[in-house]
Amino acid sequence: MKTKRGIGMAAMAFFMAFSLAMGIGAREAHAASGEIAFLPMTLDNEFYVAMKNGAEEACKKLGYTLVAQSGTGHGSASEQLQLMETMIQKDVEAILITPCSSTGIISGIKKANSAGIPVIILDTEVDQDKLAEAGAETLAYLGSDNYKGGQVAGEYAKNLAKEAGKQLRTVILTGVPGQENMELRKNGFLDAAGESVVVVAEQNADSDFNKGNDVMTNILTANPDVDFVYSCNDLMAMGAYRAARAAGKRDIKIVGFDGNSDALTSIQNGELTGSVAQVPAAMGLQGVELADKHLKGESVPKVTYTEVRVIDAGNVADFVQYVNKYSGK
């Protein structure tokens, strides 16, 4: 028979073991309930809203809180850097970011490295040479292969030219200067389209609908015989369509990039010809999953590419449901 002292000692040992187990459990729970920052170029663009909603879905599933913020101006590298530094001060678990500039956040990445906070780049790559020069590193890149997306659009233009039996007099609309993804989208297009297009104008329209309209209006005044427009995002493409319609040029083929719901509706309505579709929600969702794996001590791939393909009248209905789920509409 156990003595009262023996029973007391056993009870105390059990209590201490239980308390230790609870303490470990509490630390594990805390580790899986921290904040993950998401810093897109803007939250006024449906593409980034879908990315945020995908990240939020993954955070809820994995036990994190998503903190999503963007600057007041689309593409403001200085504002984004300030937000990044704020998140470092908050000691978030990880930072997911779509850089406004391929070089503008490198100092922020270095500060995150010093703080032990992993940085995952979504959609828009940073300048790897400049990053290395600064002695900084990112955990991973996850997004579309923007060069490949441009190639997909270029092949599409080549097929249109073959059907038309002539070179296409082409306009290229690019986005915010300094964004590497826009350069990759443009260069991929030019390399794949080759001699099937003749570029009569290439202008920046800041990834903005109204600027796309204004720029295209001016281009059509100087080049009324445009056949094809390749826009490096959908907002500029839809602005270009408005300008073409106002000029009575409804036969111009216009292909955008992103595959957002407004662009899909426009394709369904016979306005835009097509859009190189990305899967932004998957970028956000998988970005959080990569961060979670890393925080748990698992290895993650340095580069992960998501799908890109041209959506046009022939396949638009198949893509609408996915976009509507995450677009917030």
Side-chain angles (χ1 to χ4, degrees), residues 195-314:
E195 295 181 358
S196 64
V197 302
V198 176
V199 179
V200 297
E202 176 188 328
Q203 288 194 31
N204 160 47
D206 286 345
S207 299
D208 181 80
F209 174 87
N210 290 323
K211 289 183 180 180
N213 176 43
D214 294 342
V215 166
M216 191 64 191
T217 297
N218 293 333
I219 289 173
L220 287 175
T221 299
N223 302 276
D225 55 350
V226 169
D227 299 307
F228 183 81
V229 176
Y230 171 57
S231 171
C232 292
N233 90 337
D234 283 336
L235 292 177
M236 295 185 296
M238 290 185 287
Y241 173 76
R242 173 180 282 186
R245 184 182 63 187
K249 305 288 185 179
R250 292 177 178 268
D251 57 338
I252 296 175
K253 306 291 186 183
I254 302 175
V255 172
F257 202 118
D258 285 340
N260 69 36
S261 62
D262 287 339
L264 299 181
T265 298
S266 183
I267 293 168
Q268 288 177 311
N269 292 339
E271 299 167 348
L272 288 188
T273 306
S275 176
V276 179
Q278 303 186 88
V279 283
M283 294 181 201
L285 191 150
Q286 292 177 35
V288 171
E289 290 177 342
L290 286 177
D292 179 63
K293 287 181 179 180
H294 173 75
L295 292 169
K296 290 176 177 175
E298 300 177 31
S299 62
V300 299
K302 193 68 177 176
V303 177
T304 301
Y305 287 129
T306 52
E307 180 188 12
V308 285
R309 56 192 168 111
V310 173
I311 303 299
D312 61 11

Side-chain angles (χ1 to χ4, degrees), residues 68-85:
Q69 292 186 14
S70 67
T72 56
H74 184 287
S76 174
S78 60
E79 284 188 287
Q80 190 175 54
L81 181 58
Q82 290 174 358
L83 288 172
M84 192 174 192
E85 291 174 347

Side-chain angles (χ1 to χ4, degrees), residues 30-102:
H30 175 73
S33 62
E35 293 179 326
I36 289 180
F38 171 58
L39 306 177
M41 293 184 192
T42 178
L43 283 170
D44 291 330
N45 183 318
E46 181 185 290
F47 180 84
Y48 298 108
V49 171
M51 197 182 291
K52 176 185 78 72
N53 289 339
E56 205 155 48
E57 181 178 297
C59 279
K60 289 177 180 177
K61 178 182 176 182
L62 295 169
Y64 299 97
T65 298
L66 186 73
V67 181
Q69 292 186 14
S70 67
T72 56
H74 184 287
S76 174
S78 60
E79 284 188 287
Q80 190 175 54
L81 181 58
Q82 290 174 358
L83 288 172
M84 192 174 192
E85 291 174 347
T86 298
M87 294 302 163
I88 293 169
Q89 291 171 4
K90 282 172 64 70
D91 195 27
V92 295
E93 300 287 344
I95 296 173
L96 311 182
I97 187 167
T98 57
C100 293
S101 164
S102 61

Side-chain angles (χ1 to χ4, degrees), residues 21-33:
M22 289 298 289
I24 293 171
R27 288 196 298 275
E28 289 178 345
H30 175 73
S33 62

